[in-house]
Amino acid sequence: MAILTLTIDGEQLSANDDETLLEIARQHDIAIPTLCHLEGLSDVGSCRLCLVEIEGSQKLFPACTTRAQEGMVVRTKTERLQRNRRMIIELLASEGNHQCAVCVVNNHCELQNLAYEVGLTHTRYPYLYPKKRLDASHPDFIIDRNRCVLCTRCVRVCHEVEGAHVWDIAQRGIHCEIISDMDQPWGTSPSCTSCGKCVLVCPTGALIAKGENVAEMEKKTDFLKYIVTARVKREWINTDGEE
Amino acid sequence: MKPRVATVWLGGCSGCHMSFLDMDERLIELAGRMDLVYSPIADVKEFPRDVDVTLVEGAVTNDENEEMAHIIRRNSRFVVSFGDCAVSGNVTALRNGFDKEDVLRRAYVELADVDPQIPRDHPTIAELMAKARPLHEIIPVDAFLHGCPPTADQIWFAVSELLEGRMPAFSPVYLRYG
Ligand code: SF4
Ligand code: SF4
Ligand code: SF4
Ligand code: FES
């Protein structure tokens, strides 16, 4: 591991060469919006919200999967990036079915927060109102694909942390959807341990617990920190908050 | 002359208008600063000409709404999408995943207590569109007021700004869905 220096938004910073631009930015309180990234899970760079500019290249790079290099000059808040981020949120809004007023996670939703962050007053793209499947066959949980943004956090947490690998993505392009096992009702899945991790990491109202009412459900993702630290460092974080 | 203001109720539940009335005593102040020239709460039959600001509640969900949207646009300087249904379709668009005929059958036949039949084929009955659409997909819209319904404070802020001739810039406090 080597130490290097780079510039983010005009600030000279030093970092380790195995750190991503997102990790470095967050250590220095430089805000970059993210959706598919979740600390404790592997990064896939799929939502493209964290795209940044790197001097010397016309291309944009996802901060969550790009490693720092010596002398890099990174910009995270240019007008072009802001425009792109708003466009991504508009596309997500128009290709799903989001009715916040009747959604279980209303006011506790990462998609909503991102929409506020990019100033989403309305969506310029025509709403597609696709027909999506809802599956309430699991005794404790529901997957409502109308609210799914295909971030794959559920896929990764179930595979990487729980080790059950219930979720996958089926189909291509606009028809992509999250499926359980061999595309069977979740309640019949022989591999699901009913641990509920997927529900907790889902950023939207797509995975929810049964019995929650409109605007009632708040997701907590800090459980990941305990599991990952225990696994990687072989030490347990004291649950009183002291490490 | 005081600014001429209209409010219109398209495919919505009237909740946005209820929230408008929730401005309580501020309505008295508003009444002094504007003329309400058309509204479900005023007995005016035809949408008038030369309106300065029109607040539109609800999605565009039938052919009557669509015709009205064009009349509004022709006769208003500022058109405001008033509430989430106008902005994104919201609850009115919950039906969009289903076939129009299935929706009508469900509402007027399967759930009817008496005389189940789909009302249609009469000039006074509006024809449901295949899908409910947000207002800005039908006509150009100048400002967007969110919420289901928008709170009285949001409406007060937006209307006050518009009456001063300013475009309401929605800070995160006022930009909220649901
Ligand atoms: S998932 Fe989020 S954005 Fe979608 S309807 Fe629910 S609260 Fe709104
Ligand atoms: S409840 Fe646990 S095991 Fe079941 S799908 Fe979700 S993460 Fe996987
Ligand atoms: S169900 Fe939730 S966690 Fe899974 S891909 Fe969809 S939005 Fe992401
Ligand atoms: S957070 Fe980096 S691409 Fe999604």
Side-chain angles (χ1 to χ4, degrees):
Chain A
M1 185 161 51
I3 303 287
L4 48 80
T5 51
L6 76 168
T7 311
I8 304 184
D9 292 345
E11 240 183 284
Q12 281 247 325
L13 308 168
S14 52
N16 294 328
D17 62 356
D18 65 344
E19 287 178 312
T20 65
L21 295 179
L22 182 66
E23 284 170 320
I24 300 163
R26 293 221 161 143
Q27 282 159 26
H28 294 89
D29 292 325
I30 299 167
I32 299 177
T34 56
L35 184 59
C36 64
H37 167 84
L38 187 65
E39 215 177 314
L41 301 180
S42 64
D43 276 308
V44 287
S46 68
C47 75
R48 315 311 269 178
L49 269 164
C50 69
L51 287 180
V52 295
E53 289 180 6
I54 297 178
E55 218 167 84
S57 173
Q58 272 303 307
K59 266 176 41 183
L60 301 174
F61 296 83
C64 66
T65 56
T66 306
R67 300 216 180 275
Q69 278 175 25
E70 179 59 41
M72 251 186 186
V73 178
V74 181
R75 272 180 283 272
T76 73
K77 292 185 183 55
T78 63
E79 211 176 289
R80 175 186 178 203
L81 293 171
Q82 315 273 29
R83 227 183 14 249
N84 283 354
R85 285 170 193 157
R86 184 180 155 145
M87 187 172 76
I88 292 169
I89 299 297
E90 284 180 68
L91 288 167
L92 288 175
S94 64
E95 71 181 36
N97 292 306
H98 295 276
Q99 292 88 10
C100 302
V102 291
C103 182
V104 176
V105 301
N106 189 16
N107 300 328
H108 315 289
C109 171
E110 287 185 40
L111 180 60
Q112 233 179 15
N113 290 340
L114 286 165
Y116 298 151
E117 208 177 309
V118 302
L120 185 79
T121 54
H122 67 294
T123 299
R124 286 165 298 176
Y125 309 113
Y127 283 88
L128 299 179
Y129 303 115
K131 193 154 176 63
K132 302 257 184 170
R133 295 183 297 161
L134 180 148
D135 178 356
S137 61
H138 191 284
D140 304 321
F141 313 123
I142 296 172
I143 179 165
D144 181 356
R145 295 177 180 84
N146 291 290
R147 314 272 198 249
C148 176
V149 291
L150 293 168
C151 68
T152 72
R153 284 189 193 179
C154 55
V155 178
R156 284 173 283 148
V157 82
C158 189
H159 173 76
E160 295 168 12
V161 182
E162 181 60 9
H165 200 128
V166 171
W167 300 113
D168 252 308
I169 299 190
Q171 317 299 344
R172 288 283 178 275
I174 197 80
H175 303 294
C176 273
E177 58 174 358
I178 296 291
I179 55 164
S180 35
D181 284 343
M182 304 307 288
D183 197 8
Q184 66 203 73
W186 187 4
T188 69
S189 158
S191 48
C192 176
T193 63
S194 302
C195 69
K197 291 186 177 69
C198 53
V199 176
L200 287 176
V201 301
C202 175
T204 70
L207 282 164
I208 50 180
K210 281 190 177 170
E212 301 270 0
N213 220 321
V214 167
E216 271 186 3
M217 190 169 183
E218 218 170 322
K219 312 255 179 118
K220 296 243 168 20
T221 55
D222 41 338
F223 74 91
L224 266 179
K225 170 172 88 195
Y226 300 109
I227 300 177
V228 172
T229 318
R231 221 178 247 178
V232 179
K233 297 195 186 154
R234 305 218 167 267
E235 57 194 48
W236 191 247
I237 306 173
N238 189 322
T239 34
D240 298 334
E242 299 147 30
E243 297 191 11
Chain B
M1 215 176 69
K2 287 189 278 187
R4 290 157 59 79
V5 176
T7 75
V8 184
W9 178 11
L10 300 183
C13 70
S14 93
C16 297
H17 274 85
M18 294 300 144
S19 203
F20 189 92
L21 295 177
D22 263 351
M23 283 194 285
D24 298 330
E25 66 276 3
R26 285 176 288 189
L27 286 171
I28 301 167
E29 192 188 326
L30 273 188
R33 285 166 61 195
M34 62 181 227
D35 283 326
L36 189 66
V37 293
Y38 182 90
S39 173
I41 53 169
D43 190 17
V44 182
K45 299 286 178 245
E46 300 244 314
F47 194 88
R49 288 166 184 275
D50 277 329
V51 179
D52 292 300
V53 177
T54 302
L55 303 184
V56 184
E57 169 189 330
V60 177
T61 195
N62 61 36
D63 58 355
E64 188 194 22
N65 293 161
E66 192 175 12
E67 199 185 318
M68 189 62 188
H70 292 292
I71 295 174
I72 292 165
R73 186 67 273 183
R74 272 201 299 282
N75 294 293
S76 318
R77 229 153 46 78
F78 277 112
V79 175
V80 183
S81 278
F82 177 30
D84 282 353
C85 292
V87 173
S88 68
N90 193 36
V91 173
T92 310
L94 278 170
R95 72 164 172 95
N96 283 359
F98 302 92
D99 181 70
K100 176 178 120 181
E101 288 305 314
D102 291 341
V103 171
L104 287 170
R105 201 172 318 114
R106 179 82 184 142
Y108 290 101
V109 180
E110 289 169 25
L111 295 177
D113 293 325
V114 288
D115 198 10
Q117 62 169 321
I118 297 173
R120 58 166 28 130
D121 295 335
H122 191 277
T124 59
I125 296 172
E127 182 69 27
L128 207 59
M129 289 159 52
K131 286 191 192 313
R133 317 241 41 133
L135 185 64
H136 69 270
E137 287 187 17
I138 309 294
I139 56 167
V141 168
D142 305 298
F144 297 84
L145 187 46
H146 307 92
C148 179
T151 62
D153 287 345
Q154 270 171 290
I155 304 171
W156 169 250
F157 168 78
V159 174
S160 307
E161 288 290 288
L162 286 163
L163 289 180
E164 297 297 325
R166 286 193 294 263
M167 243 345 175
F170 293 115
S171 66
V173 186
Y174 290 110
L175 181 58
R176 58 167 268 285
Y177 320 116

